[in-house]
Amino acid sequence: MIALRIFTGFVAAFLVLPLVVVMGSAFTSAGFVDFPPAGFSLKWFAEAAETENFRSGLWLSTWLAITASIISTAAGLLVGRVVTKSRTRLARRIVGVLTLPILVPTVIFAVASLQFWTLLGTRLNFWTLLVGHVVITLPFAVRTLVVAYQSFDPRLEEAAASLGAEPRYIYRRIVLPAIAPGLVATVAFTALLSFDDVVVSLFLAAPRSEPLPVVMFTYLDQNITPALSAVSAVIVVISLAMIILLERVIGLGKLFGASPETN
Amino acid sequence: MAMTVMPVADEPSPGAGEGNQDVDPRAQRRPWVLLPLLLCFAVGFLGPLVLIVTNALRTYVRGTGFQEFSTANLVEVLTAQRTLEAFRNTVLLAVLVVIVCILIAYPIGILFIRSSKRARTVILALILAPLLVNAVVRTFGWIILFSPGGTFDSLTGVTLYHTPAAVVIALVHLFVAYMVLSLLTSLSAIPPDLVPAAQTLGASPWFTFRRVVLPLSIPGLVSGSIIVFGLAAGAVLTPLLLGGSTMAVVTIDIYRSMLVFFDPSVAATLATVLLTINVLAILAGERIARRFVGHQFASGENAE
């Protein structure tokens, strides 16, 4: 048992190691990336903040994340509601179809999308990229919200209706608050997935208008500087905030499908 | 109601308008309300996939585009030495990553089922948290660690930059959490009295593990393996950035042929074959898992 605990501890340390390294290298006072960093300085954060590429990338990524999250969550709400109310095999098949993207390697979908838009003659823009992001975030929204709706007791709705409440009121004051944890988790998780996406954005982003991860990838490929570390450090902090939020709201385990419940 | 949040961009939805929901709550129960959503989804997701498969089966002329259907293109790309090597490398890499992930995930799984609820939450948080961080950032960390003159180099004198080993380590880092999750699903389903029962009947811990726990965990292992295999076979960033020229995998070829050489025909072909491999792996995995689940319930004994 002790051995298992130590092993798990090592694995956890292994998982965190690259993140620590990247964050640490951002504080260097030298002109190149190294870990442990040479000296201590915040100048690279200032440098990163002034780099136009990073700024526009961050802006685009944020907008994409917000929009993709709203669309996916709305769609997930709709699907969850309909599927749990109807309980037909068709409903289950619909959920199956909508969660298909998880099974397809992202790079295949990305390449296919690019050829698709080329065929249609559409220039690559925010909307074509958004469609890609929605496709990859929708399965998680559907999955999480269907589960959330399933744990909601429909008798509460019926009780409220029998007391004279209108459907709109019931949905707003009874159903939504009950699925609130799942809802918040979906919004946060889909936003994070979109924000983190690299492969789809790599293929579908218009030139000179790339989300932050793609900008970072280009730097990583051609021009590694501590400014990149600084950007990465900020991203790790943002992700950390999301992680804590998700853990508090719904528990990371449940988000991915595992539960800490002992049998 | 939530229906008012319907976006304009890709969902014209006459059937799911706000008014309908309010007037007839039973409309919510009819699945065809989802039809507009499904249509958009078909266009956004299934359309591209169908296209890429058909593109792989057509000839391509630069400047004009895809022409008539023929398998000539497919044959040409697939019989090239380079392509066969790339696929071989991809499969080897993916299998290796799966094996290492299993070796790491299993002890964690065992610890999980033996832990209290509080400890389980901690374990889950620790293992799952890194999944939410950008893949570029995580790969960057490994680049810093493994680059010549970097931390790992100074500590051990071994440079792993641009080696397959570095790619394997980084990919395991990215995907091991998914293996743990899958495994936990199976392990958690084992009735907690089963192990003590075996032991009261005289079984040694090793025997209990080998003949009781291990077989019951196979479905989770298989499903985790499929997931990790697909992820590792489809990884682009990490082999590209960490492996350099030592990692000639299919995904890098897809990336290069599409975005660097502007040859959609090769990209389509490679992508289609990779997709096929993935689908076959999923189907094979499901068949294997089903055999073990069947055994479990049929005879009450464990599959050998």
Side-chain angles (χ1 to χ4, degrees):
Chain A
M1 189 70 169
I2 289 287
L4 288 178
R5 288 218 182 102
I6 297 179
F7 179 81
T8 307
F10 268 120
V11 173
F14 165 72
L15 290 176
V16 167
L17 181 61
L19 305 178
V20 167
V21 166
V22 172
M23 291 186 72
S25 71
F27 291 99
T28 182
S29 57
F32 54 90
V33 172
D34 195 12
F35 187 83
F40 181 90
S41 158
L42 294 177
K43 68 180 181 187
W44 291 109
F45 287 89
E47 168 87 19
E50 277 160 31
T51 311
E52 181 54 35
N53 280 336
F54 290 142
R55 292 226 308 249
S56 57
L58 180 62
W59 185 247
L60 180 59
S61 278
T62 310
W63 272 117
L64 272 175
I66 293 176
T67 323
S69 168
I70 291 178
I71 296 178
S72 287
T73 308
L77 278 174
L78 180 60
V79 172
R81 184 97 170 124
V82 171
V83 163
T84 44
K85 285 237 176 245
S86 101
R87 293 176 201 284
T88 57
R89 263 184 34 202
L90 175 64
R92 277 200 299 277
R93 289 235 183 87
I94 290 178
V95 172
V97 167
L98 290 177
T99 53
L100 271 182
I102 301 184
L103 297 178
V104 174
T106 325
V107 67
I108 295 180
F109 168 66
V111 143
S113 284
L114 182 54
Q115 300 204 355
F116 184 73
W117 295 117
T118 314
L119 181 73
L120 291 184
T122 319
R123 291 262 296 272
L124 293 181
N125 54 33
F126 177 84
W127 303 104
T128 53
L129 186 51
L130 181 63
V131 169
H133 278 227
V134 169
V135 167
I136 56 175
T137 53
L138 189 59
F140 296 95
V142 167
R143 207 170 62 172
T144 313
L145 287 174
V146 164
V147 169
Y149 271 107
Q150 278 170 347
S151 44
F152 170 74
D153 188 345
R155 291 173 301 180
L156 291 171
E157 252 182 297
E158 292 165 23
S162 71
L163 287 169
E166 290 180 357
R168 187 200 290 240
Y169 183 88
I170 295 179
Y171 193 80
R172 190 165 56 88
R173 293 295 298 268
I174 294 172
V175 180
L176 278 187
I179 60 170
L183 186 58
V184 171
T186 303
V187 171
F189 193 51
T190 51
L192 194 58
L193 278 179
S194 162
F195 193 78
D196 278 350
D197 167 72
V198 189
V199 184
V200 173
S201 304
L202 193 59
F203 282 85
L204 292 183
R208 285 183 300 277
S209 168
E210 295 151 348
L212 190 57
V214 179
V215 175
M216 293 171 69
F217 168 73
T218 315
Y219 271 79
L220 204 50
D221 196 25
Q222 297 165 5
N223 178 22
I224 299 185
T225 76
L228 184 59
S229 307
V231 178
S232 307
V234 171
I235 289 189
V236 172
V237 170
I238 295 178
S239 306
L240 199 62
M242 281 301 200
I243 292 168
I244 296 178
L245 168 70
L246 285 169
E247 176 62 27
R248 281 276 164 82
V249 161
I250 195 181
L252 279 179
K254 265 179 73 178
L255 189 64
F256 286 97
S259 163
E261 302 299 332
T262 50
N263 7 355
Chain B
M1 290 185 68
M3 312 312 153
T4 51
V5 192
M6 273 304 150
V8 174
D10 60 351
E11 295 192 345
S13 35
E18 179 187 338
N20 289 351
Q21 306 296 3
D22 277 329
V23 166
D24 180 14
R26 279 177 300 231
Q28 291 164 347
R29 293 175 204 193
R30 295 187 211 136
W32 52 253
V33 153
L34 297 176
L35 199 60
L37 172 62
L38 282 177
L39 269 163
C40 296
F41 186 77
V43 166
F45 175 67
L46 298 174
L49 286 185
V50 167
L51 177 69
I52 202 144
V53 173
T54 56
N55 276 351
L57 296 172
R58 294 160 78 171
T59 55
Y60 180 74
V61 173
R62 236 174 225 284
T64 330
F66 287 95
Q67 310 295 331
E68 75 278 351
F69 281 90
S70 120
T71 55
N73 188 36
L74 202 64
V75 170
E76 184 189 328
V77 171
L78 289 184
T79 49
Q81 177 70 0
R82 187 199 156 80
T83 313
L84 293 174
E85 275 180 16
F87 276 108
R88 185 203 61 187
N89 289 342
T90 301
V91 171
L92 280 181
L93 175 67
V95 167
L96 191 52
V97 170
V98 166
I99 293 177
V100 177
C101 281
I102 292 179
L103 292 176
I104 294 184
Y106 218 99
I108 299 180
I110 304 283
L111 177 66
F112 186 85
I113 51 175
R114 289 197 201 162
S115 301
S116 65
K117 177 168 173 185
R118 195 136 168 254
R120 289 183 176 198
T121 319
V122 170
I123 296 176
L124 277 178
L126 282 179
I127 303 292
L128 295 177
L131 280 185
L132 299 179
V133 179
N134 205 319
V136 178
V137 170
R138 287 155 93 181
T139 309
F140 186 21
W142 291 114
I143 290 180
I144 299 178
L145 275 171
F146 287 145
S147 58
T151 326
F152 195 78
D153 194 12
S154 356
L155 284 179
T156 63
V158 174
T159 302
L160 285 184
Y161 192 59
H162 282 176
T163 63
V167 177
V168 172
I169 292 177
L171 286 182
V172 167
H173 179 269
L174 282 176
F175 304 138
V176 69
Y178 295 105
M179 180 69 78
V180 173
L181 277 174
S182 270
L183 202 51
L184 288 184
T185 321
S186 269
L187 286 176
S188 308
I190 299 179
D193 332 318
L194 210 55
V195 170
Q199 290 180 327
T200 53
L201 289 170
S204 68
W206 176 244
F207 186 89
T208 322
F209 174 76
R210 190 167 63 88
R211 297 293 299 265
V212 178
V213 177
L214 187 56
L216 289 176
S217 67
I218 298 265
L221 264 185
V222 169
S223 110
S225 301
I226 297 177
I227 294 174
V228 172
F229 180 84
L231 288 171
V236 190
L237 280 192
T238 311
L240 190 60
L241 292 171
L242 266 180
S245 49
T246 62
M247 272 270 108
V249 288
V250 179
T251 47
I252 295 183
D253 283 343
I254 294 179
Y255 165 72
R256 287 224 178 96
S257 61
M258 191 72 198
L259 293 184
V260 176
F261 300 127
F262 303 113
D263 189 353
S265 166
V266 171
T269 314
L270 293 176
T272 305
V273 178
L274 186 60
L275 181 62
T276 314
I277 292 180
N278 217 53
V279 169
L280 288 176
I282 293 176
L283 291 176
E286 270 182 19
R287 188 153 297 180
I288 297 178
R290 212 170 296 151
R291 258 190 45 201
F292 281 92
V293 173
H295 265 263
Q296 207 174 307
F297 292 129
S299 61
E301 278 174 28
N302 311 296
E304 188 61 58

